[in-house]
Amino acid sequence: MSVNIDWDQLGFAYMELPYRWRAYWKDGEWYKEGLEEGKKFLISEGSTSLHYGQEAFEGLKAYRTKTGQIQLFRVDQNAQRLVNSAKRLLMPEYPVEKFIEAVKKTVQANADYVPPYGSGASLYIRPLLIGVGDNIGVSPAPEYIFTVFCMPVGPYYRNGLAPMPFVTSKYDRAAPFGTGASKVGGNYGGSLLPGQHAHAEGYGDVVYLDPATHTKVEEIGSANFYGIEKETNKFITPKSPSILPSITKYSLLYLAKERLGLEVEEGDVYVDELDRFAEAGAMGTAAVISPISRIDHGDKTFYFYSETEVGPITQCLYNELVGIQYGDIEAPEGWIFPVE
């Protein structure tokens, strides 16, 4: 089957595809697992996902290589992160191997929608775990639904790999020792207002500081932060119990050290010391890497490599990661999962 899509004009938007994976949990076990058609399903008005935020999700992509092969990037890490999120919210875990198989089956069923190699587009995949069933007390749900759906997407930012300005926020993304390290909806719902304010003022997004002291950089919008230190070229990214453990971040930490020969560090990044960095950026599944041109913090402004050009180390890291994802560069062992 051929699909009528202008791959070069894809944005980052929802699109209904023919198939999605669904699995249902009740009485201590998963059942009725398989592909379904139709984007809608009925849930009880008493579902905990609607009232108490008992839901978690993931985001990953499938890529088509030059030979036409479809492949997934580190899907096992997404599977484990969803397990960790489920534990935090007292939800049943969807096993790692089942997760991987569910993603593969969903991609296979919608293979015609995986964008062609060279288009710069990919198939975005959204696994979702929600609490459902009849419940009104603040307690775990009696039933759960796990689903995996997908859609072709273009670059998260229309301008591609282009530097953007960011601004620190007075709002907190997550509480100390809260759910910041879990990929749950509440972390994102609270980000809508500060994000809207930043966009209205011409910024790419906000810089969230640590919720305890407001002195350290934690996340950039819904992505992780990194900086390339002046003189040493050390790749530095924040470490905190309230930061989401980004798969893109840990991939770049590895590539910076093993492929580019850089010293790497996870540690405190104080907002008043941002001028120590020659380059900076945000990193995540959706955006891959978004270079930062400057960060405005109160009456201070910290400038990085350029307002118009991408820094050389950022460009190298981007090329290496994207090259691996699209099959042009050999991947470290265990990173790539072919979709048969």
Side-chain angles (χ1 to χ4, degrees), residues 232-284:
T232 67
N233 286 340
K234 182 189 290 186
F235 180 98
I236 300 175
T237 184
K239 186 175 180 64
S240 163
S242 56
I243 292 177
L244 182 73
S246 165
I247 294 159
T248 303
K249 177 181 88 168
Y250 286 109
S251 300
L252 288 173
L253 276 166
Y254 178 91
L255 295 175
K257 181 179 180 180
E258 301 299 331
R259 297 284 175 91
L260 273 63
L262 303 180
E263 188 178 352
V264 300
E265 176 186 314
E266 277 189 281
D268 291 336
V269 176
Y270 289 94
V271 66
D272 287 335
E273 299 176 1
L274 284 173
D275 54 6
R276 67 193 277 209
F277 298 117
E279 301 177 34
M283 47 190 173

Side-chain angles (χ1 to χ4, degrees), residues 176-188:
F177 307 105
T179 58
S182 303
K183 199 167 178 66
V184 298
N187 296 343
Y188 296 82

